[in-house]
Amino acid sequence: MEIKIEKVAKSRLETVDLSQLVFGKYFSDHMFMMDFENEEWKNPRIVPFDNICFKPSLTALHYGQSIFEGMKAYKNQQGEPKIFRPKEHLERLNKSAVRMAMPEFPEAMFLEALSALMQLDKDWIPTINIDDSLYIRPVMFATDTTLGLHPSEKFCFIIFCSPASSYYSQPLKVLMSNEYVRAFPGGVGSAKAAGNYAATMLPLKQARAQGYDQLLWMDGVEFKSTQEIGTMNVFFVIDDRVITPLLDGTILDGITRRSVIELLKDKGYFVQERRTGIGELMNAYKNGKLEDAFGTGTAASLAHIAEMKYGEQIISLPDISTRKLSTSIKTELAEIKRGLRPDTKGWMY
Ligand SMILES: *Cc1c(COP(=O)(O)O)cnc(C)c1O
């Protein structure tokens, strides 16, 4: 693939204070773009990060035929850019694409695009704190411009980057939703599709007004079994057993989830992927057996939960200092990503 490269005249890097980052607020100098037309991907190019221009009748705008990914590049101890499990992110992007009637993106092109982009923008990878990274956001959207409801035949694929630091500084308060639903069997819950997030804006706004950071989504049939949090998978530790909801098509198959499960199993922990509901959690809580609850995702890595609320019932999780298991996994993951520990699993590209 021949990528046409148009470099910025002058980098904006010096205008950004990498020690004071707000997630997703600043963007690196360049972005990769490619178009899908007549059944093929064409015109691969890297251009300065800037506005893009489309007609108001753009299919993606009206009907939400749009998907995305989120992954991170870190600098190792030699100062080389390393991306965490990019092939698996592409695999998931392609699964989202299939579900939303969009074209898959070839792996070789994806890796080449990432390498070219990292070559140009690697100085945007912050290294001050251990969790510092360059967040990489691939997005694909439908670019037909006829209004009739139809699967688009034209698409645009963009990869752009944003320097990132730790996502949450405090343990989270989550509201277990018994009113709104994120996903249900047969829906698109397992796709990283734009509409999934649009549907959560109002509930999120209401949760925040009540002092909660995020929603913990419950199943769409009985509102009893847990699904996931905002953009994170959820884990519970009950009586030394680790439980996380199974991949039943209503939740995202998180790469961080997968990595955490693998690290836990390596340490000899018993990890169950199964349904767990409000009843089991309340019981465990009342019996003093609910030891930990946390979310996992690329943006936040591993985020502890301080409190969960369901209706009038409140579950307060123990002090972070007692949560040694999740804290050690969080550190281990961060050290692998930054090259402070050997990457025995070949996770860093
Ligand atoms: C992205 C995302 C996750 C986390 O996936 P990772 O691959 O770990 O980043 C979990 N749930 C939802 C809804 C997401 O959008």
Side-chain angles (χ1 to χ4, degrees):
M1 172 172 76
E2 184 84 34
I3 304 177
K4 210 177 112 197
I5 296 179
E6 182 197 334
K7 288 192 200 173
V8 291
K10 188 175 185 307
S11 173
R12 284 177 286 101
L13 185 55
E14 63 188 39
T15 66
V16 177
D17 181 355
L18 294 179
S19 70
Q20 299 287 330
L21 294 168
V22 176
F23 184 80
K25 184 166 174 189
Y26 306 103
F27 301 99
S28 72
D29 288 323
H30 300 92
M31 62 183 179
F32 171 84
M33 294 182 82
M34 203 158 175
D35 308 312
F36 187 84
E37 248 185 75
N38 299 324
E39 300 294 317
E40 60 174 349
W41 286 105
K42 52 182 68 158
N43 194 15
R45 58 204 185 275
I46 286 178
V47 293
F49 178 86
D50 205 348
N51 297 337
I52 49 174
C53 192
F54 290 97
K55 294 208 167 72
S57 53
L58 190 78
T59 301
L61 269 184
H62 298 265
Y63 308 126
Q65 203 181 7
S66 178
I67 56 174
F68 67 97
E69 265 304 319
M71 55 192 182
K72 281 180 167 177
Y74 300 81
K75 266 196 183 157
N76 67 11
Q77 299 307 299
Q78 289 72 47
E80 302 157 330
K82 296 280 180 185
I83 305 176
F84 187 67
R85 308 185 83 168
K87 291 181 190 176
E88 285 152 271
H89 281 280
L90 178 69
E91 205 178 289
R92 188 172 64 192
L93 180 85
N94 285 337
K95 279 190 187 150
S96 301
V98 168
R99 179 63 183 85
M100 305 304 285
M102 299 169 82
E104 293 179 57
F105 197 82
E107 183 182 283
M109 277 186 199
F110 185 66
L111 296 176
E112 220 179 299
L114 287 174
S115 297
L117 203 51
M118 285 306 109
Q119 204 64 46
L120 288 168
D121 285 357
K122 57 177 178 296
D123 292 345
W124 285 84
I125 307 176
T127 54
I128 300 163
N129 303 304
I130 185 163
D131 288 330
D132 282 2
S133 65
L134 188 63
Y135 181 81
I136 303 172
R137 170 58 63 93
V139 59
M140 190 195 294
F141 54 96
T143 54
D144 271 14
T145 50
T146 50
L147 274 184
L149 180 61
H150 69 289
S152 184
E153 285 171 6
K154 290 195 278 183
F155 298 89
C156 178
F157 181 63
I158 304 181
I159 307 175
F160 61 93
C161 309
S162 172
S165 198
S166 294
Y167 197 75
Y168 294 113
S169 49
Q170 297 280 338
L172 299 178
K173 288 174 73 179
V174 300
L175 195 61
M176 301 164 95
S177 183
N178 57 5
E179 183 180 359
Y180 299 105
V181 173
R182 175 185 179 274
F184 37 83
V188 295
S190 65
K192 237 174 154 69
N196 280 336
Y197 307 87
T200 67
M201 299 295 179
L202 176 69
L204 189 58
K205 211 169 152 181
Q206 293 175 348
R208 291 200 169 150
Q210 289 183 52
Y212 288 83
D213 301 294
Q214 279 292 342
L215 282 121
L216 171 51
W217 297 103
M218 307 300 281
D219 77 272
V221 181
E222 297 184 305
F223 295 94
K224 282 189 178 147
S225 104
T226 54
Q227 287 181 336
E228 59 179 323
I229 309 167
T231 57
M232 288 190 290
N233 294 108
V234 70
F235 285 76
F236 303 101
V237 182
I238 299 177
D239 208 6
D240 290 336
R241 286 166 302 135
V242 183
I243 303 161
T244 189
L246 78 168
L247 303 174
D248 63 356
T250 67
I251 64 170
L252 242 280
D253 178 359
I255 316 291
T256 319
R257 173 186 182 278
R258 221 181 271 179
S259 309
V260 165
I261 291 175
E262 204 171 321
L263 293 179
L264 284 166
K265 286 186 173 168
D266 287 354
K267 285 188 187 301
Y269 282 94
F270 187 54
V271 186
Q272 291 179 301
E273 295 179 56
R274 64 165 171 84
R275 277 178 229 285
T276 176
I278 182 65
E280 183 183 7
L281 292 171
M282 263 333 277
N283 268 338
Y285 175 58
K286 284 180 184 149
N287 297 327
K289 303 275 191 192
L290 182 59
E291 292 152 17
D292 201 349
F294 57 89
T296 64
T298 295
S301 156
L302 187 154
H304 288 108
I305 297 173
E307 183 186 313
M308 307 192 284
K309 185 176 184 212
Y310 183 86
E312 294 308 308
Q313 308 176 77
I314 289 183
I315 296 178
S316 300
L317 277 298
D319 193 76
I320 302 298
S321 63
T322 67
R323 307 203 220 167
K324 298 210 166 58
L325 174 57
S326 52
T327 304
S328 77
I329 294 287
K330 184 181 166 89
T331 305
E332 191 174 338
L333 201 51
E335 290 178 349
I336 294 171
K337 289 170 172 176
R338 290 296 300 274
L340 290 161
R341 247 177 218 258
D343 171 28
T344 56
K345 297 167 187 298
W347 283 347
M348 307 309 294
Y349 176 80

